Amino acid sequence: MSAMREELHALVDRLPDDRVQPALALVRENLETAGRRERALAIMERVQERMRGVTGVDEELDRLREGARG
């Protein structure tokens, strides 16, 4: 287990029971968001591959990809 995981585990162990649920909700939300982003990027890559050679598509997809980060 990495040092950060060990620290997280130790910190969660120190939380009172009534504070575990909100912390768990934050972790679950983060996992869901990361999964959605990964799926969206995979879809964008497939679209980009299908549209290769169409004028302006690569630039537009790059612009959308960068916009999602900012």
Side-chain angles (χ1 to χ4, degrees):
M1 186 180 319
S2 74
M4 288 188 297
R5 288 179 182 272
E6 288 179 15
E7 180 183 5
L8 177 61
H9 187 91
L11 291 171
V12 170
D13 282 346
R14 291 175 44 197
L15 283 174
D17 285 345
D18 65 326
R19 299 302 303 156
V20 172
Q21 193 282 328
L24 198 56
L26 286 172
V27 171
R28 287 178 177 148
E29 180 182 332
N30 189 289
L31 287 173
E32 290 172 12
T33 300
R36 282 193 302 268
R37 187 173 194 291
E38 288 174 12
R39 288 188 300 275
L41 287 174
I43 290 168
M44 287 181 75
E45 288 171 4
R46 286 196 305 267
V47 168
Q48 192 169 18
E49 184 58 35
R50 285 183 172 180
M51 300 298 290
R52 191 154 316 280
V54 176
T55 304
V57 170
D58 290 344
E59 293 80 9
E60 182 66 13
L61 288 172
D62 288 341
R63 185 186 66 77
L64 289 170
R65 187 179 292 122
E66 291 301 316
R69 292 183 189 154

